Amino acid sequence: MKGRMRPYLPELTIRDYNIYLRYLRGVRRQLYEAYGLYSCHLLRSNGVLFAILSDSLAGRQATCQRKRVPGTLAWRRLMCQTQGIRLAAQVEVLLGWHRLQDAQWGDLPLYKKARRVRNWLFLRRAYEKAAAENPALERIFAQERDQANVQMTLNSENYTLASEPKSNLYGALYSVLATDDPSQRKSMHYIGCCIGRAAYLMDKAESFLRDKLRKRYNVFLANGITSREAAVESARRQALAAANDLVRAYNLLDIKLNRTLLDNIMILGLRHAVDPF
């Protein structure tokens, strides 16, 4: 599964591993039932975390049932019938659609252009349904896209300003998962901002050579960095600082369920994604 917010398996208990798998299947099942089979391939580890966090903060105990896993003939136990799982499915559809729109058409080889057209055709109806169900989330994505375009136009050298659109996007998404407690909402917004900042820096470091070749904006190029290795090291150092800030805000949360599983993902999982050990 793609995505950086995954459990760190060497430190994960069997019980928590089973809970994670059941939530994963539950979000996949929700995508299938609400948006069709094709939308299931959008699922990333971030969506599973959204579902677990939302239910755990609210203290909602998920119903575990035995159902068929979409796209297979296997029947497995999965979580279902929770607000967190429904919200996670909506987020995954909207994230997947906007990720598709962000791809640079002119830079894609022919087979990827064909795949993008196929994805656009099959996912458009799912996107329209998710946007209609949760227009507030769709507005968040539209604002992030506009902010990102502004930063690219300015060719900003400031890492904080360059990462701000994605940081604000994740901050808004994670604050939606919080309960009505203002302090919890504030902590969740800050956690999302830290995750968004780390993700942006790591993504830009990974695309450094491609952006350099295409003469596209990249915050590391704007700062005069000339090698991918230097960009990766700078991204790792700054992402680790963001991960440390996240831990301080995360420890303030009142998590009612699945504490050990969330500790594993939010602390060990993110750090391992940034700096494998």
Side-chain angles (χ1 to χ4, degrees):
M1 177 183 288
K2 296 180 180 179
R4 294 191 172 91
M5 300 303 293
R6 296 191 295 262
Y8 180 58
L9 294 181
E11 297 291 337
L12 193 66
T13 65
I14 294 175
R15 177 182 178 276
D16 287 341
Y17 180 67
N18 286 331
I19 292 173
Y20 185 84
L21 284 182
R22 289 168 184 173
Y23 263 101
L24 187 155
R25 296 172 192 142
V27 177
R28 191 181 301 278
R29 181 77 190 187
Q30 180 66 25
L31 282 166
Y32 167 69
E33 292 180 349
Y35 307 109
L37 180 61
Y38 198 80
S39 67
C40 292
H41 86 279
L42 295 172
L43 182 57
R44 298 190 171 205
S45 55
N46 286 331
V48 185
L49 177 59
F50 288 152
I52 299 171
L53 256 177
S54 178
D55 290 345
S56 299
L57 288 170
R60 288 188 294 263
Q61 191 70 51
T63 302
C64 189
Q65 296 182 359
R66 187 176 177 84
K67 293 186 176 182
R68 186 173 64 83
V69 179
T72 73
L73 297 176
W75 287 67
R76 297 286 186 270
R77 296 183 67 80
L78 53 83
M79 301 299 193
C80 57
Q81 301 177 358
T82 72
Q83 181 179 335
I85 289 174
R86 289 190 291 272
L87 179 61
Q90 292 171 350
V91 169
E92 284 298 286
V93 170
L94 294 175
L95 267 174
W97 177 260
H98 287 282
R99 196 180 298 120
L100 180 64
Q101 307 310 306
D102 290 341
Q104 299 290 329
W105 177 265
D107 298 341
L108 298 176
L110 183 60
Y111 77 95
K112 286 191 175 181
K113 287 181 179 179
R115 187 168 64 187
R116 183 180 176 187
V117 170
R118 180 196 64 192
N119 288 342
W120 189 92
L121 290 172
F122 282 98
L123 295 176
R124 178 150 189 96
R125 182 173 295 180
Y127 157 72
E128 290 174 346
K129 182 178 180 182
E133 289 173 345
N134 203 328
L137 275 181
E138 174 56 20
R139 285 195 295 272
I140 291 172
F141 284 100
Q143 291 168 2
E144 183 270 341
R145 184 176 60 248
D146 293 340
Q147 289 180 344
N149 290 334
V150 169
Q151 293 301 333
M152 290 176 65
T153 303
L154 294 175
N155 202 32
S156 176
E157 298 178 8
N158 187 296
Y159 290 106
T160 301
L161 287 178
S163 63
E164 194 172 67
K166 194 161 193 173
S167 178
N168 288 340
L169 169 65
Y170 276 77
L173 289 178
Y174 275 79
S175 65
V176 169
L177 306 179
T179 61
D180 294 333
D181 182 0
S183 62
Q184 186 181 90
R185 191 172 293 273
K186 183 178 179 180
S187 295
M188 286 294 290
H189 187 275
Y190 188 74
I191 287 170
C193 287
C194 292
I195 293 173
R197 175 175 168 78
Y200 174 85
L201 293 169
M202 294 168 70
D203 288 344
K204 284 300 179 183
E206 291 175 359
S207 66
F208 179 85
L209 292 179
R210 185 167 61 252
D211 291 340
K212 184 177 181 180
L213 179 65
R214 304 288 183 181
K215 296 186 176 357
R216 288 202 302 256
Y217 169 72
N218 186 299
V219 67
F220 297 106
L221 288 171
N223 278 275
I225 293 176
T226 57
S227 69
R228 184 180 184 277
E229 290 73 20
V232 169
E233 176 57 28
S234 177
R236 185 193 66 82
R237 188 171 58 252
Q238 295 183 69
L240 277 176
N244 291 334
D245 290 341
L246 177 151
V247 171
R248 287 192 285 272
Y250 171 73
N251 287 331
L252 298 176
L253 295 177
D254 178 22
I255 297 175
K256 300 176 176 63
L257 298 170
N258 306 313
R259 180 82 202 203
T260 55
L261 172 57
L262 288 170
D263 286 352
N264 181 285
I265 299 172
M266 302 292 285
I267 299 174
L268 296 177
L270 179 59
R271 289 188 63 87
H272 185 258
V274 172
D275 186 24
F277 46 83

